[in-house]
Structure formats: C-alpha cells, structure tokens
Amino acid sequence: MKHSNEQMRVYCAGPLFNRTERDEMKEIADLLTKTGYTVYLPHRDGMEFRLILDVLVERNWDAPTAAQFLHEAIFSLDVYQLVVECEAMVWNLNGRVPDEGAVSEAAMAWMLGKPLIAYKDDVRSLIQGRYNPLLVGMVEFESVDEIEQIPHALSTAILNHDLRPPLEVDALPAKVQKAVQAGQVLWKAMCSEGAQEDNEMIASVVEELFAPNDRSSLLA
C-alpha cells in the first residue's frame, strides 16, 4: 500500500441514475485526478451496458437472458477493481437513500481493509439528525460535506492507514476468487488496444465468461 497519492488507484462509488448524479461523480473523479490519483469511475471506465446488450441481442440472445449474464459481468468487473486494482475508495452517500450498489462496494472495501472516505451534503436520509451508524461506522463516523475536501480527507485516511502486505486473492472465499478471476480476464480484454471502440470483442468475452451453458476455457 502506497502512503502517498502518487499513482494510487481510487474507486469512486455513488449514485449514477440521472445526469446530475453522474455529473457529481465526474466532478469528484476529476478533482481526484487533478490531485494526482488514478481513478476508476464505473460508468465511465467500465462497460457501457446498453451498447454491449445491443450486440448480444443482435447475436440472438433474448434481452432478459443477455441482461442477466451481462449484469454478472459487471459485478465481476467491479469486484476485481475493488479487490485488486484499486487501493482506496471514495464513497458518495448522497441521495434520498444511499445508492445500494455503492453501499455494497463500500462494505467490500471496508472488509478488505482499504482506506475509505465518505462524502455527503444531502440530509434527506438522516435518522433523528444522524447518519445510519451501519454506514458511517465504516468511515469512522466521519464524512466530508464539500467536494473540495475529498482529496485532503482521502490523503489523511491513506496516511493513517495501517501498512499491510497486499491481500492474496488465494486467501479469499471461493466465490470472491471466481468473481475476481473473471473480472480480471474481462478487464484485460477491455484494456487491449482498440477495445474501447470494439463492442463486438467485449461482447464476445462476456459471452465466453458468463453466458449460460457456454463457459469459457479462459479461466482454465
């Protein structure tokens, strides 16, 4: 674990269901990038669900089945990023209720022992004037309420973090290992030259890894 922001990769998690939410997440990611971090922002850096789904449907998968195993692919990709690629996490708690996907991602980061901070300037989900203890307990019952405070808060969390050897994937539960291994294959494919413009290739990898009754030998 690095104790500076140099080349440290940060997972940004939060709500992405409308333009305002996506713009806020991009603002957080851009600020982190400007302050020296490398950032993984799922809706920007992961797969674009709609485009890959269109390819799968064109290949005669019915839409519900294709959506099902495409969601499996997205899950594995994000688990891989959290477990292996990213060394810390910034969690946007804004929303009428916190985004359930981001809550799951924060819980994973916390259980993995990675530096984790929360941002929130939305009071709608307060319980008697306080945040849900099962959420903010993962961030030492502290959060920041201005986006500009995020880099400093993250740097502090990293500096105060116990230096430990990198987690061995082999030590994780079997289901987690399976998701990480599949996510790694998918991520490598997505990082290959020209992959961003090649939805056909990405769809093929998704099919190989996740389509029912058509498991790939890539993990063998």
Side-chain angles (χ1 to χ4, degrees):
M1 176 69 68
K2 305 177 185 72
H3 269 201
S4 74
N5 60 349
E6 183 179 358
Q7 298 302 309
M8 178 169 277
R9 190 171 180 85
V10 179
Y11 192 106
C12 283
L16 298 166
F17 291 103
N18 56 55
R19 180 177 297 177
T20 299
E21 291 175 342
R22 291 190 292 271
D23 287 347
E24 183 173 64
M25 291 303 298
K26 184 177 183 300
E27 183 179 357
I28 292 170
D30 288 347
L31 180 60
L32 289 168
T33 299
K34 288 178 183 177
T35 51
Y37 294 98
T38 301
V39 175
Y40 182 79
L41 186 60
H43 77 287
R44 181 192 67 188
D45 303 320
M47 291 182 296
E48 190 163 350
F49 179 89
R50 176 182 58 84
L51 297 179
I52 305 302
L53 181 63
D54 286 347
V55 174
L56 294 171
V57 171
E58 287 174 1
R59 295 180 181 183
N60 296 320
W61 289 100
D62 64 272
T65 300
Q68 172 64 35
F69 68 77
L70 184 51
H71 276 132
E72 292 179 34
I74 291 169
F75 173 78
S76 293
L77 179 62
D78 287 352
V79 169
Y80 169 71
Q81 290 293 328
L82 280 163
V83 173
V84 177
E85 291 286 335
C86 295
E87 298 168 283
M89 178 173 157
V90 171
W91 178 19
N92 182 355
L93 275 164
N94 281 342
R96 174 60 187 86
V97 294
D99 177 73
E100 63 269 28
V103 170
S104 297
E105 290 159 341
M108 283 188 262
W110 184 72
M111 290 297 293
L112 290 165
K114 301 197 175 190
L116 169 67
I117 68 158
Y119 158 72
K120 183 176 177 68
D121 68 351
D122 188 337
V123 300
R124 289 177 293 172
S125 60
L126 293 179
I127 302 173
Q128 294 187 341
R130 296 181 180 276
Y131 300 130
N132 187 316
L134 289 175
L135 301 182
V136 294
M138 292 189 286
V139 289
E140 308 296 331
F141 296 92
E142 295 180 356
S143 63
V144 297
D145 58 9
E146 294 181 12
I147 286 178
E148 292 74 16
Q149 298 171 339
I150 289 174
H152 175 72
L154 181 59
S155 177
T156 300
I158 292 167
L159 289 171
N160 291 336
H161 188 71
D162 292 336
L163 188 62
R164 298 178 181 178
L167 184 68
E168 294 291 337
V169 174
D170 291 346
L172 295 169
K175 287 184 178 181
V176 182
Q177 289 186 44
K178 182 179 178 181
V180 168
Q181 290 163 359
Q184 182 178 36
V185 173
L186 181 54
W187 180 243
K188 285 183 177 179
M190 292 172 62
C191 291
S192 61
E193 186 175 356
Q196 290 183 340
E197 293 79 30
D198 195 347
N199 292 320
E200 294 281 348
M201 184 271 285
I202 298 300
S204 294
V205 177
V206 170
E207 278 184 302
E208 291 277 351
L209 291 169
F210 301 99
N213 303 317
D214 186 25
R215 295 294 177 177
S216 172
S217 61
L218 289 172
L219 296 180

